[in-house]
Amino acid sequence: MVDAARAAKMADRIKVIVAKTLERGIRDPRLGFVTITDVRVTGDLQHASVFFTVYGSDEERLESAAALKSATGLVRREVGKNLTARLTPSIEFIPDGIPENAALIDSLLTEAHQRDASIGSLKQNATYAGDEDPYVKPRDLAAEEEAAGFDDDDDDDDAVYVSKDD
């Protein structure tokens, strides 16, 4: 079995080789501004998935994908030449979803900002539903007794005590 560290090193190396090959070796006019974002190699080092993005419109993305598909053999040959492995992995180009994900995240952040602004405007005119301070405070027993008319003075010297023996 091959360890994950070797597969990761091979994926990094394939990423560099494919990028250089696309930059220098392919003369297809359909190929646009392509960026290799990631390469994943299977554990047995037999297959490499190359993820790419294309800067431009949807039409340019489709044309670049077709150009990459037609150049797969050339790219695999260059990978085989520059890779120190017994077998050259098969190569598959897969369009990466980074631009679409970034656009979705951007729209979600814009929506969240708009909701925050609307809540902020509601907050300016808001009033409390109940008491302004809903928290329970400790009771002041002395004030309550005084308000109720109880005398809680310590001057109980005038009190008369009656015992049962009398």
Side-chain angles (χ1 to χ4, degrees):
M1 288 303 293
V2 177
D3 62 332
R6 182 170 182 205
K9 284 180 186 178
M10 184 177 273
D12 288 341
R13 183 70 184 138
I14 289 173
K15 183 177 179 180
V16 170
I17 294 168
V18 169
K20 285 183 181 179
T21 303
L22 292 178
E23 182 182 345
R24 297 182 188 148
I26 297 178
R27 302 282 183 233
D28 195 336
R30 299 177 294 175
L31 193 64
F33 187 71
V34 176
T35 302
I36 305 300
T37 56
D38 193 19
V39 175
R40 295 189 185 146
V41 178
T42 58
D44 60 357
L45 306 178
Q46 295 295 312
H47 183 74
S49 299
V50 179
F51 295 91
F52 69 95
T53 59
V54 179
Y55 182 73
S57 66
D58 289 335
E59 181 182 330
E60 291 173 335
R61 290 181 187 139
L62 292 174
E63 289 178 358
S64 295
L68 288 172
K69 186 172 176 99
S70 68
T72 302
L74 174 71
V75 171
R76 184 169 186 233
R77 185 180 71 216
E78 289 298 317
V79 168
K81 282 183 190 177
N82 296 311
L83 205 61
T84 57
R86 188 169 55 107
L87 299 172
T88 302
S90 62
I91 294 184
E92 175 186 17
F93 287 101
I94 301 172
D96 203 352
I98 290 176
E100 292 82 15
N101 289 343
L104 176 66
I105 290 171
D106 190 40
S107 68
L108 291 174
L109 288 173
T110 302
E111 181 183 346
H113 181 68
Q114 290 171 349
R115 285 185 180 184
D116 285 346
S118 67
I119 288 173
S121 66
L122 290 174
K123 184 179 173 183
Q124 297 296 326
N125 302 327
T127 59
Y128 291 103
D131 292 334
E132 188 169 321
D133 189 10
Y135 298 104
V136 176
K137 305 269 187 302
R139 292 176 62 182
D140 185 8
L141 294 176
E144 288 179 14
E145 288 177 354
E146 187 176 316
F150 294 118
D151 184 24
D152 191 24
D153 293 336
D154 288 340
D155 56 350
D156 290 338
D157 296 340
D158 300 336
V160 175
Y161 295 102
V162 178
S163 65
K164 287 184 177 183
D165 296 338
D166 289 336

